[in-house]
Amino acid sequence: MTTPCIICVAITGSLPTKADNPAVPTSVAEQIESTHEAFEAGATIMHAHVRNDDETPSSDPEKFARLKEGVEKHCPGMIVQLSTGGRSGAGQTRGGMLPLRPDMASLSVGSNNFPTRVYENPPDLVAWLASEMKTYDIKPEIEAFDLSHIFRAAAMYEAGEIAATPYVQFVMGVKNAMPVDREVFDFYIHTVKRLFGEDTPWCAAGIGPNQIVLNEWAISSGGHARTGLEDNIRLDRNTLAPSNAALVKRAVELCDKYERPIATWQQAREMLGLREVA
């Protein structure tokens, strides 16, 4: 298998704090430094949330702007993907950073249960976020927590609400949502290829100890992989991950195992149909 593997590093998220793992980067300066280390280790997409000074989630466009500027300066060519997830804000505040024109942004197209709440993505908000991404030439990454989300993304693509073929990421292992199940995973792949084409790139993310499981399933199946401290703060049950870069290196080792070259940022941009770097 020779298709280069794109590694996405989800550096912070909305939930992990330094009390959980001191390596979680919460300030913008820490996030830039952590992203740079992950970039050097092999990551070509940076998926970002931002935090307030007290480590609570934020959707402050100014913080996103400083993070984007710093990553573009210190990691030239790296794909910047900003989160529009619901833990960081409500309603259209979730898309307040989209005028910054990142390369990509996450887009959850349907609702589902999370461990202690309903992750709400009402149709009108989804349509608005997709419209903003189209306006600012931002490629959405569809975060599929359920099979229906893949079909919804297909319907939006057919209706012209999404400008280019969606990049779908399977998220598995969130409590009360889709568990880690190999037959479901394989059917997800089959569904993406059936709806969008045999050569359509896709990605997978696993939560907690399932991160390494989904990394291996995705890499061995020709897909792309997400890792990082947002989803998992440990190397194993007894060992905290010392950095985002350490989790990226673990994915790189799996790529070596399955003879998958690591995608350069140039290759990743070409595979995902992203605009050229200015």
Side-chain angles (χ1 to χ4, degrees), residues 11-13 16-18 20-27 30 51 55 229 233 241 244:
I11 57 171
T12 302
T17 66
K18 290 186 180 298
D20 301 313
N21 183 335
V24 176
T26 55
S27 72
E30 289 174 339
R51 301 286 187 92
E55 298 188 54
L229 292 167
I233 60 171
N244 275 302

Side-chain angles (χ1 to χ4, degrees), residues 25-81:
T26 55
S27 72
V28 170
E30 289 174 339
Q31 289 176 311
I32 293 168
E33 181 179 1
S34 186
T35 300
H36 182 246
E37 293 173 354
F39 181 58
E40 291 190 326
T44 49
I45 299 177
M46 180 270 291
H47 173 81
H49 297 243
V50 291
R51 301 286 187 92
N52 296 309
D53 292 343
D54 64 357
E55 298 188 54
T56 56
S58 172
S59 55
D60 184 353
E62 190 273 334
K63 290 181 183 290
F64 274 116
R66 286 193 286 120
L67 177 57
K68 178 176 179 285
E69 180 182 11
V71 170
E72 290 173 342
K73 177 181 178 181
H74 295 285
C75 310
M78 190 177 198
I79 297 165
V80 174
Q81 181 189 110

Side-chain angles (χ1 to χ4, degrees), residues 91-111:
Q92 293 187 1
T93 60
R94 289 169 52 176
M97 81 298 290
L98 295 176
L100 297 172
R101 298 186 77 241
D103 301 296
M104 300 181 72
S106 60
L107 180 63
S108 298
V109 297
S111 301

Side-chain angles (χ1 to χ4, degrees), residues 124-199:
D124 58 342
L125 178 59
V126 172
W128 180 80
L129 288 169
S131 175
E132 289 289 283
M133 292 180 197
K134 192 172 180 180
T135 295
Y136 293 110
D137 189 24
I138 301 166
K139 186 177 183 71
E141 178 187 82
I142 306 299
E143 296 194 336
F145 295 90
D146 183 79
L147 180 62
S148 64
H149 299 171
I150 301 175
F151 282 90
R152 180 63 193 138
M156 294 176 71
Y157 174 57
E158 289 296 323
E161 297 176 79
I162 296 173
T165 303
Y167 184 52
V168 178
Q169 175 176 264
F170 317 143
V171 184
M172 307 184 86
V174 175
K175 184 180 179 181
N176 298 326
M178 183 56 68
V180 176
D181 184 289
R182 185 59 198 244
E183 289 191 24
V184 172
F185 176 82
D186 291 339
F187 191 72
Y188 276 179
I189 299 172
H190 170 76
T191 302
V192 165
K193 290 183 176 182
R194 178 167 65 88
L195 295 178
F196 302 116
E198 188 69 26
D199 297 325

Side-chain angles (χ1 to χ4, degrees), residues 7-13 16 21 23-25 34 38 43 45 47 204-208 211-212 215 225-235 241 243-251:
I7 298 176
C8 172
V9 59
I11 57 171
T12 302
N21 183 335
V24 176
S34 186
I45 299 177
H47 173 81
I207 306 304
Q211 182 175 84
I212 191 65
N215 284 171
R226 166 165 147 163
T227 190
L229 292 167
E230 171 176 349
D231 301 334
N232 167 49
I233 60 171
R234 297 182 176 277
L235 291 177
S243 63
N244 275 302
L247 296 173
V248 171
K249 290 174 183 175
R250 196 167 66 161

Side-chain angles (χ1 to χ4, degrees), residues 199-229:
D199 297 325
T200 300
W202 53 271
C203 181
I207 306 304
N210 292 305
Q211 182 175 84
I212 191 65
V213 176
L214 268 293
N215 284 171
E216 184 153 19
W217 287 1
I219 291 166
S220 64
S221 302
H224 306 290
R226 166 165 147 163
T227 190
L229 292 167

